Amino acid sequence: MQKLKNLLVGVALVALPFSAALRAPIAHAAPDLTSNLEGVNSEADLGSEDLTATIGKLIAALLSVLGVIFLLLIIWAGFTWMTAQGDPKKVDKAKDILITSVVGLIILLSAYAISTFVITQLSDATSG
């Protein structure tokens, strides 16, 4: 029962920062669908950037978070290796963490390169 309580509290604490994103703006029905878009845009505070710039910012934020996770994994693997005290199981565990972290970093950089290429090509194609 205590584990369930701790799990629920943990989920609530993790979900708390995202609760503001769930607040949807109120859109009022209008006979002309485009007449109310300015009001909805100002109420939702969406900005006036194009879609490619918004997607680029989202990808950059996601890649930044993943980069921080990579750094934490490298620090954790180094700490595990340094505190192994010659235990081969702990050293192997640290090596596994390092290898999977580096593979993850390679995938992360590949995803960044691919997304940058695709967004650049889309931007060039749509801007004429």
Side-chain angles (χ1 to χ4, degrees):
M1 189 63 164
Q2 185 67 22
K3 287 184 181 182
L4 180 62
K5 180 180 174 184
N6 289 342
L7 177 68
L8 291 176
V9 169
V11 168
L13 288 176
V14 168
L16 187 63
F18 300 108
S19 64
L22 297 177
R23 183 182 56 98
I26 299 172
H28 304 285
D32 181 19
L33 295 177
T34 60
S35 66
N36 200 26
L37 289 179
E38 292 293 326
V40 171
N41 187 22
S42 65
E43 193 172 323
D45 194 26
L46 296 175
S48 60
E49 293 182 345
D50 60 340
L51 183 61
T52 56
T54 305
I55 291 173
K57 286 182 180 181
L58 287 172
I59 290 172
L62 179 66
L63 291 175
S64 297
V65 169
L66 291 175
V68 170
I69 291 172
F70 168 74
L71 178 67
L72 292 175
L73 282 171
I74 293 295
I75 291 171
W76 177 253
F79 178 78
T80 303
W81 197 329
M82 291 296 144
T83 58
Q85 298 177 350
D87 185 9
K89 289 182 181 180
K90 288 185 179 180
V91 172
D92 288 340
K93 180 182 175 185
K95 285 181 183 179
D96 288 341
I97 293 172
L98 280 173
I99 290 170
T100 54
S101 298
V102 170
V103 168
L105 178 66
I106 291 169
I107 292 170
L108 181 72
L109 293 176
S110 299
Y112 177 73
I114 291 169
S115 64
T116 301
F117 174 75
V118 169
I119 289 175
T120 303
Q121 293 301 317
L122 282 176
S123 177
D124 291 346
T126 57
S127 65

